[in-house]
Each structure stands twice: as C-alpha cells, then as structure tokens.
Amino acid sequence: MLVKVQQEDFDPMAEMAAFPADAIAGAGGSVTFIGTVRDYSEATDILAMEIEHYPGMTERELERISAEAARRYDILDSLIMHRYGRLAPQDNIVMVAVWSRHRAAAFDACRFLIDVLKTSAPFWKKEITPEGARWVTDCPGCRAGSREGHTHAPHVSHSHTQLK
Amino acid sequence: MLVKVQQEDFDPMAEMAAFPADAIAGAGGSVTFIGTVRDYSEATDILAMEIEHYPGMTERELERISAEAARRYDILDSLIMHRYGRLAPQDNIVMVAVWSRHRAAAFDACRFLIDVLKTSAPFWKKEITPEGARWVTDCPGCRAGSREGHTHAPHVSHSHTQLK
Amino acid sequence: MIHVKFFASVRERIGIGEISLPMPEGGATVADVLALAEDEAGVVLQGAHLLAAVNLRHVPFSDVVRDGDEVAFFPPVTGG
Amino acid sequence: MIHVKFFASVRERIGIGEISLPMPEGGATVADVLALAEDEAGVVLQGAHLLAAVNLRHVPFSDVVRDGDEVAFFPPVTGG
C-alpha cells in the first residue's frame, strides 16, 4: 500500500503506471476514483480551494484505512494520493486506486477508502468565492456521496452538542 | 456518452483528459475501471489473448448500456473503450469511466456498465497458452466479478440446453 | 434472404462465418434459421451455449425473423 | 507538558495554532485539555463540532491523556 500527501498536482495514470509491478502482478483490473475541485458550491462560484491538513496524522490515517481495506477486501494493493494547499477548479484533489484479481473487490475497496477518507483523514477545505473565504462545514456523513440517508462512520466520534 | 472499439492500445488518462469538457462540467469526481489481460488462467500461463468481436453490434450494445446507465444513475457522462485483436499480458482490454456530481452515482454506474458489458457486449476471448489456443468459455454470470452467487443479466437470454 | 453470421467457437464448430439463406415461405423463428444453417453446414450445434442477435440486438430464439434480417449466433460473451 | 494543536476553523476561532500546557496533576481527559486551552486563549468553543486526536489518532473526548501527548482539536474533516 502506498500513501502520498503532497502540494503538487499529480497525474493519476502516471502514478498508477509507476506503482510497483510485483505488488499487483495477477491483477485483472483496477478501480480508480479521482476527486476534483468543483467550480460551484450552493449557487456560488468557487475561485479556488485551500486545503489545510494535519501533517503526520494525514499520512498515518490514510495508511490505517489502507490497511483496513486490505483486511476487509480481497485486493492486491492500493494507492491513495491527496493534495493540500491552494487548488483551482478542475484540479485533482484526491485519487484512490485499487488493484485486485476480481473486480468486485476493487470496487468495494475503492469505495470504502474514499468514503472513510472523507470522514476520517484530517483535511479541511476552504472555498475562496467572490464573496470571500469560507470553510466547508458539512457534516462528514452528509458528504458521503449519497443523497439518501447515511450514518456517521463508527470509528470517528464527534460532538454536535455543547462541550461545556 | 462515448464508445470506442479499437485494436490499438489506449492510455486511459489521455482518453479521460480528451473527453469533452462541457459534458462533464460540474463533476466532483470520476470512477474508472481498467481491465487488463491476466498472465495466468487456471494454472496455465497465458502467452497472449485474442479478442474477436461482432463489428457494429459491439458499438451498438455499448451505446445501449451507456444510455441505460445514464437513465438509471445521476451521472454526467461516461466513456467505454474496448480493444479487440491480439493482446499481451498486462495490456489494457477495457476501460469504463464515469463522471458525476456525487461519487456514489459514478461508482454505481461504473460497476453497472462493466457488469453488463461482460454479459452483453459481443466480445470473445481466446487464450493462447503453451498448450495451445482455447476459447474462454465461462458462463457470463460466473465472470461477473464476484466469488459469491450471481444471477444472469435478465436482458440476455441464452440456452444451456439442446436446441434440437 | 436471411444473412446469417457465426462468431468465435460457434463459427469454428459450424465451419461457416457467414451464409445467406433464402427466406423460408411461411416465416421462420431464430431457432428455425439456426436449423436451416446447420442443415446447410451439415453440422449440428448440439448442446452448445448459444446467444442470438437479429439486426445487432440480442433476441430470444423464439423471435420471428423478416426477409433481409441479419441473424447472428455466438457463444456467451467473454469480453471486458 | 501536553502539546495542543488546533486546525482549520477551530484554529481560527480560538486564535491559537499550537500551545503547550503543563500536565495537570491528578490527570486529565481530552475534554479537560480543551477546557484548559480555552482558558488560556480566553475563548470558549461553545457549540462547535469538534473532533479530537491524541498522538495522531482519533479519540473520544473521554480519553485520558498522558504527559508528553500531542492533543489536537479540529472540525469534522472535509477532505477528499
């Protein structure tokens, strides 16, 4: 498993091509999620996106969920890349690639990784709009990609109430 | 939606980068499945893979399932590429890319497309092994990517019994 | 005429890639077309796992064919 | 000492990125550490949606901290 957290842009296919070949020998396929900066948000234009992160914890958390995916699913290996710093609309933010012998495991693991990443990896987005800057404050479960109901990831507890 | 059936190799990310930008404006992400030629099959080495197809019907069928995916899922657009002819181990055979505003739809649609493609698009694989050439004859449902039980795609009927 | 095509292992077994057959008087189903082509080839595809398409669409063997149709027979697909 | 870090909107609200606090005698939970840091900053993060981590791991606010720990507070994450 490989985790990269960096400011620079990345080329998803070049990263996949550079992945250690022996780790994914026998793969029948790969599933890749690429997340990009949207150019709108609740009826406002987005000029840029600033991503803050918690150095050290981000890598640790991404490695933890990669290991968890390898335990849960019959995959050969995985790659997670995530950027921080100032990004422009259309820029790549994140990619998750998973290789497996049989594609069902790669689909399941890729989806698991991006879902869990979004609720547990310490990154925070700040949208720069014509009206100013504002933190993206959605509750993480609400951003889990579905319009239907959701539950919060059980491994992350956070308080929605007063702390004192 | 875009469908390409070709003999030449392809670069998945270059194909995605070349996809009409206005069709996928507003995308929050993409999900891509890339299928490659395995180098083994039931304890036999694979030297090459020959893919026969039904020209005309392949394109038509891939367009049909692309339209079906667009009806079923809230996606922005999709791209399917599939090769035919003689391929070497590790070569790309197929790619399915789906763009959507919210990632759940892209995951669902990508998986739908590759599952249905494998049971309905008229391609046939012949493995070239040290012992000779042989057609891959798996029942399509059995190749649907899961080790668990499966059902055949309801839109494709085929007979497992004597015809006369 | 009915334009009949065979693909992959089915093409190899029947020994014919394409053949045109006169449209049977009184009509014909896809299954009838297969039987006519088997007679022509002198080969019976007994027990084969077969799919059929008419004019590039998957169809059941019970579908009726029309003069000028392209009817194809092939094994379960193994692409992707 | 306890090494406390704040991130994103929580860092902006409390006005502190990092602060080191003496380890309280008699022990402390993560919630206690937050209260101590709030006292230090003169800011109360009332009603905030907060996550906490100790030594780079997500933890509940009831966890006990040890001398030398790095304790971080931040809003629900919004990466990906």
Side-chain angles (χ1 to χ4, degrees):
Chain A
M1 77 197 194
L2 187 56
V3 161
K4 292 191 195 182
V5 179
Q6 64 184 45
Q7 196 156 3
E8 308 77 56
D9 192 14
F10 57 82
D11 172 352
M13 210 45 54
E15 297 291 339
M16 289 177 71
F19 200 85
D22 53 345
I24 53 175
S30 62
V31 173
T32 305
F33 174 78
I34 301 170
T36 48
V37 179
R38 287 199 192 83
D39 50 8
Y40 65 91
S41 169
E42 292 164 21
T44 308
D45 289 343
I46 293 181
L47 306 176
M49 184 78 86
E50 285 177 2
I51 302 184
E52 182 171 332
H53 78 305
Y54 183 173
M57 183 170 171
T58 48
E59 293 82 350
R60 200 196 168 285
E61 190 63 16
L62 296 179
E63 285 165 7
R64 185 184 71 77
I65 68 176
S66 297
E68 179 66 21
R71 264 192 300 274
R72 289 186 181 215
Y73 303 102
D74 183 24
I75 62 176
L76 293 169
D77 216 327
S78 65
L79 165 66
I80 301 179
M81 299 197 65
H82 202 298
R83 292 177 68 192
Y84 60 88
R86 192 178 180 95
L87 279 61
Q90 323 293 341
D91 275 7
N92 294 330
I93 303 176
V94 61
M95 83 174 268
V96 176
V98 179
W99 291 263
S100 64
R101 287 180 195 81
H102 301 283
R103 71 185 180 284
F107 272 105
D108 289 341
C110 187
R111 194 163 190 163
F112 169 83
L113 283 169
I114 186 66
D115 285 355
V116 176
L117 181 158
K118 290 206 175 214
T119 59
S120 82
F123 292 98
W124 302 275
K125 291 198 187 99
K126 189 184 237 179
E127 295 171 349
I128 314 299
T129 75
E131 290 80 45
R134 64 172 177 213
W135 291 102
V136 175
T137 56
D138 301 349
C139 176
C142 309
R143 314 190 78 246
S146 170
R147 290 170 171 185
E148 286 99 53
H150 63 269
T151 56
H152 289 185
H155 58 288
V156 177
S157 61
H158 74 269
S159 170
H160 276 222
T161 60
Q162 288 182 216
L163 287 164
K164 46 184 295 182
Chain B
M1 78 197 192
L2 186 56
V3 161
K4 293 191 193 181
V5 179
Q6 64 184 45
Q7 196 156 3
E8 309 77 56
D9 192 14
F10 56 83
D11 172 353
M13 211 44 55
E15 297 289 340
M16 289 177 71
F19 200 84
D22 53 345
I24 53 175
S30 62
V31 173
T32 305
F33 174 79
I34 302 169
T36 48
V37 178
R38 288 200 193 83
D39 51 8
Y40 66 91
S41 169
E42 292 165 21
T44 307
D45 289 343
I46 293 181
L47 305 176
M49 184 79 86
E50 285 177 2
I51 301 183
E52 182 171 333
H53 77 304
Y54 184 173
M57 182 169 172
T58 48
E59 292 83 352
R60 199 194 169 288
E61 190 64 17
L62 296 179
E63 285 165 7
R64 184 184 71 76
I65 67 177
S66 298
E68 179 66 21
R71 264 193 301 275
R72 289 185 181 216
Y73 303 102
D74 183 22
I75 62 176
L76 293 169
D77 216 328
S78 66
L79 164 65
I80 302 180
M81 300 197 64
H82 202 298
R83 293 178 67 191
Y84 60 88
R86 193 178 179 95
L87 279 63
Q90 323 292 342
D91 274 7
N92 294 330
I93 302 176
V94 61
M95 83 174 268
V96 176
V98 179
W99 292 263
S100 64
R101 287 180 196 79
H102 301 283
R103 70 185 182 283
F107 272 105
D108 289 341
C110 187
R111 194 164 190 162
F112 169 82
L113 283 170
I114 186 66
D115 285 355
V116 176
L117 181 158
K118 289 205 175 216
T119 58
S120 81
F123 292 97
W124 303 275
K125 290 198 188 100
K126 189 184 238 178
E127 294 171 350
I128 315 299
T129 75
E131 289 81 44
R134 63 172 177 214
W135 291 101
V136 175
T137 55
D138 300 350
C139 177
C142 309
R143 313 189 80 246
S146 170
R147 289 171 173 186
E148 287 99 52
H150 64 269
T151 56
H152 289 183
H155 59 286
V156 177
S157 62
H158 73 270
S159 169
H160 275 222
T161 59
Q162 286 183 217
L163 287 164
K164 46 183 298 183
Chain C
M1 302 290 278
I2 304 292
H3 309 287
V4 185
K5 293 185 174 184
F6 298 94
F7 290 96
S9 57
V10 172
R11 172 177 50 72
E12 291 183 352
R13 275 187 68 185
I14 202 162
I16 294 174
E18 292 190 41
I19 188 172
S20 287
L21 302 172
M23 179 67 201
E25 290 183 29
T29 64
V30 171
D32 295 334
V33 171
L34 178 63
L36 290 169
E38 286 176 320
D39 287 348
E40 200 71 27
V43 173
V44 177
L45 295 171
Q46 199 162 7
H49 297 219
L50 280 184
L51 295 170
V54 172
N55 299 334
L56 313 182
R57 296 171 191 251
H58 289 287
V59 294
F61 279 76
S62 55
D63 263 25
V64 171
V65 300
R66 290 167 217 281
D67 195 28
D69 278 354
E70 175 171 310
V71 183
F73 299 98
F74 41 80
V77 304
T78 56
Chain D
M1 302 291 279
I2 304 292
H3 309 287
V4 185
K5 293 186 173 184
F6 297 94
F7 290 95
S9 57
V10 172
R11 171 176 49 73
E12 292 183 353
R13 276 187 67 184
I14 201 161
I16 294 174
E18 292 190 42
I19 188 173
S20 287
L21 302 171
M23 179 68 203
E25 291 183 27
T29 64
V30 171
D32 294 334
V33 172
L34 178 63
L36 290 169
E38 286 176 320
D39 288 346
E40 199 71 28
V43 174
V44 177
L45 296 171
Q46 198 161 7
H49 296 220
L50 281 185
L51 295 172
V54 172
N55 299 335
L56 313 183
R57 296 172 191 251
H58 289 288
V59 294
F61 279 74
S62 56
D63 262 27
V64 170
V65 299
R66 289 168 217 280
D67 195 29
D69 278 354
E70 174 171 310
V71 182
F73 298 98
F74 41 80
V77 303
T78 56

